[in-house]
Amino acid sequence: MFERKPVRLDPRIAWFATVRHLLSPMAGVTDRPFRTLCRDHGADLGFCEFTSASGLYYENEQTWRLIDTEGETGRVGIQIFGSDPHHMAAAAALLRARRMDVLDLNFGCPAKKVVRKCGGSALLADLPLLAEITRQVVAAAAPVPVSAKIRTGWDEGSINYGEVGAMLQDLGCVWVTLHGRSRAQKYGGRADWDTIADLVDRLDIPVVGNGDVVDGASYRALVEHTRCHGVMVARGAIGNPWLFAEMKAADAGRRHVPPSFAEMCATTARHIRLEVAQRGEATGCLVVRKHIARCFRGYPGAAHLRRRLYAETTSAGMIAVLAEAARSADPGLGAPETLALEDLAS
Ligand SMILES: Cc1cc2nc3c(=O)[nH]c(=O)nc-3n(C[C@H](O)[C@H](O)[C@H](O)COP(=O)(O)O)c2cc1C
């Protein structure tokens, strides 16, 4: 176990004491099936894709569809973005009845369509508005706890994560996640973990570190460098939900055993089934492709397998391809005729 800074936990998130490995919110990626897979492999908490507060406020059906947490059994967070305090607070009040463990405020999104309307990371350049939104959302969401996800600042000339973090703590946020890049950096260069270490020192509430954790070694390095309470991973988990098991192994000082090719096939088959159950056959098969694009890396024949999967238009076809690939690659699975497709759905 690594040394972590002792923190002050809001009693509403007593459960957060043992939360170390979090799945980031990722638009177009962290739907319910993917959150489920990540939890299967050890994620302590998963976030929904970020959601427009105005879309929720105006009852946009597509926006509400992103809130897919009904009956979800593991820890789950919902994240909202926007720049209108009234819409943000109204969305928080509407969401209160939904299944969630925390409501997160997005103050980090660098996307043009979000910052143009002064949402996401644009709020790092307008602290009075950021404070007003936080104040109203914390009040409207109660008793649901509110967290926030920020970047280091708008650009290199206006790094203000320390001021923003202290403000969020004072306004009642229960934890702050810091992605160690400014808005101007978008996803380029290296995340600056010194900023995360500094924020950990400054705040009493938990700080969750985020940026460039892709395996057990980088996880360990981030925690050792910063003493942060938890680590949030995004890109590294796409096509690799086993990253959570790897982080857990690092915590326990155990060697991580990477998944076999057959396990990858089985998990991908499960993913396809979950997506199809949630979204229907056609969309489910399409959505899972972005995960397949990042899975099977380093295995001989991975590119060929992906091409074959992309050529299939039905879930049954995709799962049959996976079954065949698993059989031919892993003699331990037994003779082809003894491997039922159901074996891949576990
Ligand atoms: C495809 C994609 C979608 C993302 N969507 C969101 C989002 O909805 N909300 C958010 O706070 N961050 C979002 N992010 C940023 C990530 O949560 C994370 O902060 C960033 O990728 C750095 O972490 P990483 O190095 O582990 O990828 C997104 C990132 C990616 C790659």
Side-chain angles (χ1 to χ4, degrees):
M1 257 317 221
F2 313 117
E3 194 215 332
R4 323 240 180 189
K5 181 183 164 183
V7 291
R8 171 168 61 77
L9 276 186
D10 183 297
R12 289 171 297 170
I13 58 154
W15 50 269
F16 200 66
T18 54
V19 168
R20 304 294 186 199
H21 317 112
L22 300 89
L23 172 67
S24 251
M26 271 187 284
V29 178
T30 56
D31 58 4
R32 171 105 164 243
F34 188 56
R35 296 195 299 273
T36 303
L37 280 196
C38 289
R39 262 194 230 101
D40 285 353
H41 292 93
D44 297 319
L45 183 145
F47 273 97
C48 298
E49 306 171 47
F50 75 170
T51 314
S52 157
S54 299
L56 297 173
Y57 176 79
Y58 288 119
E59 294 182 6
N60 180 298
E61 205 183 305
Q62 255 179 316
T63 311
W64 274 102
R65 221 174 286 144
L66 297 172
I67 311 294
D68 56 353
T69 60
E70 204 49 47
E72 193 161 342
T73 46
R75 298 277 175 208
V76 62
I78 292 174
Q79 188 192 56
I80 54 172
F81 71 92
S83 58
D84 180 330
H86 174 62
H87 287 184
M88 290 288 273
L94 288 170
L95 287 169
R96 230 173 18 209
R98 294 300 181 114
R99 164 78 192 92
M100 70 172 135
D101 295 286
V102 70
L103 178 66
D104 194 69
L105 293 167
N106 180 312
F107 295 141
C109 181
K112 278 209 183 85
K113 70 173 186 185
V114 172
V115 295
R116 209 181 298 126
K117 293 183 181 160
C118 300
S121 59
L123 288 161
L124 298 174
D126 186 345
L127 297 195
L129 182 55
L130 180 145
E132 186 55 27
I133 286 172
T134 307
R135 194 176 297 115
Q136 289 204 27
V137 170
V138 166
V144 174
V146 175
S147 59
K149 183 162 176 281
I150 64 174
R151 285 182 172 242
T152 55
W154 175 255
D155 60 19
E156 292 319 287
S158 56
I159 298 297
N160 59 359
Y161 64 88
E163 186 185 350
V164 174
M167 186 186 273
L168 294 168
Q169 173 171 281
D170 291 346
L171 290 168
C173 285
V174 293
W175 82 74
V176 175
T177 302
L178 175 58
H179 175 193
R181 287 185 177 86
S182 66
R183 188 269 167 176
Q185 285 175 293
K186 299 199 174 139
Y187 295 94
R190 297 278 314 160
D192 180 357
W193 290 351
D194 288 345
T195 60
I196 298 171
D198 185 42
L199 192 64
V200 169
D201 283 342
R202 287 171 187 243
L203 301 191
D204 302 326
I205 59 174
V207 170
V208 174
N210 170 237
D212 299 344
V213 169
V214 293
D215 54 19
S218 47
Y219 167 74
R220 183 193 180 103
L222 173 58
V223 177
E224 286 183 341
H225 191 80
T226 65
R227 299 191 306 146
C228 62
H229 181 86
V231 168
M232 191 179 261
V233 295
R235 291 165 297 178
I238 303 175
N240 182 22
W242 301 276
L243 176 54
F244 294 97
E246 196 170 349
M247 294 192 286
K248 279 216 158 20
D251 267 340
R254 274 188 285 108
R255 198 177 70 81
H256 170 65
V257 182
S260 67
F261 187 78
E263 274 176 85
M264 286 185 177
C265 291
T267 297
T268 304
R270 174 161 156 74
H271 198 167
I272 293 166
R273 286 176 196 277
L274 290 169
E275 289 290 359
V276 165
Q278 172 148 326
R279 301 174 185 267
E281 181 73 18
T283 314
C285 290
L286 276 181
V287 161
V288 90
R289 285 182 176 201
K290 60 172 83 88
H291 298 268
I292 291 171
R294 303 247 197 141
C295 199
F296 308 109
R297 273 186 291 196
Y299 276 95
H304 178 64
L305 172 60
R306 283 192 208 105
R307 272 197 302 276
R308 286 190 63 199
L309 288 168
Y310 296 157
E312 294 295 333
T313 51
T314 65
S315 57
M318 291 173 91
I319 291 169
V321 167
L322 288 163
E324 190 194 318
R327 279 196 296 260
S328 58
D330 191 341
L333 273 176
E337 61 276 16
T338 63
L339 179 75
L341 289 187
E342 284 70 21
D343 292 339
L344 289 178
S346 56

